[in-house]
Amino acid sequence: QVQLVESGGGLVQTGGSLRLSCAASGHIFSINAIGWYRQAPGKRRELVADITSGGSTNYLDSVKGRFTISRDNAKNTVYLQMNSLNPEDTAVYYCRVRTSWYDYWGQGTQVTVSS
């Protein structure tokens, strides 16, 4: 039984930093990519960053230079380091693991950036 658990969200001031973690339990086969998505109230869910099985990364334009996605395969964990946060980053952040057979989603973690 595969589960994804996000952690690291919280409330920070503008300019602050947070590191989100996505830990996978159970054995996931044939991973193609792991990504972080976010959804703000009244907004469409959007891809923030992802990393492929080969290590390639891509980012939403508005977070380039501020956010960094990384992985620790030994711990089955993916991280999202978020720096220079601003109120526009306020959203629920979701972890997604895409495989050849199925997509797994976490329950989300709230990130709130105060002005």
Side-chain angles (χ1 to χ4, degrees):
Q1 191 81 6
V2 174
Q3 289 187 333
L4 304 179
V5 179
E6 300 105 331
S7 62
L11 193 153
V12 296
Q13 296 179 359
T14 296
S17 298
L18 286 173
R19 188 179 73 160
L20 306 183
S21 299
C22 174
S25 63
H27 201 101
I28 305 178
F29 294 94
S30 302
I31 293 175
N32 298 130
I34 306 173
W36 285 97
Y37 292 72
R38 69 186 183 187
Q39 187 166 25
K43 297 269 190 175
R44 185 177 179 271
R45 186 175 298 186
E46 62 184 354
L47 174 67
V48 178
D50 66 8
I51 183 167
T52 70
S53 59
S56 298
T57 60
N58 71 92
Y59 297 89
L60 182 68
D61 283 344
S62 62
V63 309
K64 286 181 179 178
R66 299 189 297 121
F67 291 9
T68 303
I69 188 170
S70 62
R71 65 187 181 189
D72 186 336
N73 291 334
K75 295 181 178 180
N76 289 329
T77 301
V78 174
Y79 305 95
L80 184 67
Q81 179 66 46
M82 306 187 295
N83 299 325
S84 301
L85 288 163
N86 58 65
E88 287 70 46
D89 297 315
T90 295
V92 177
Y93 285 70
Y94 299 90
C95 179
R96 178 200 181 194
V97 175
R98 183 156 60 92
T99 75
S100 298
W101 300 99
Y102 193 75
D103 293 336
Y104 300 92
W105 289 86
Q107 290 186 323
T109 184
Q110 176 71 50
V111 171
T112 303
V113 185
S114 63
S115 60

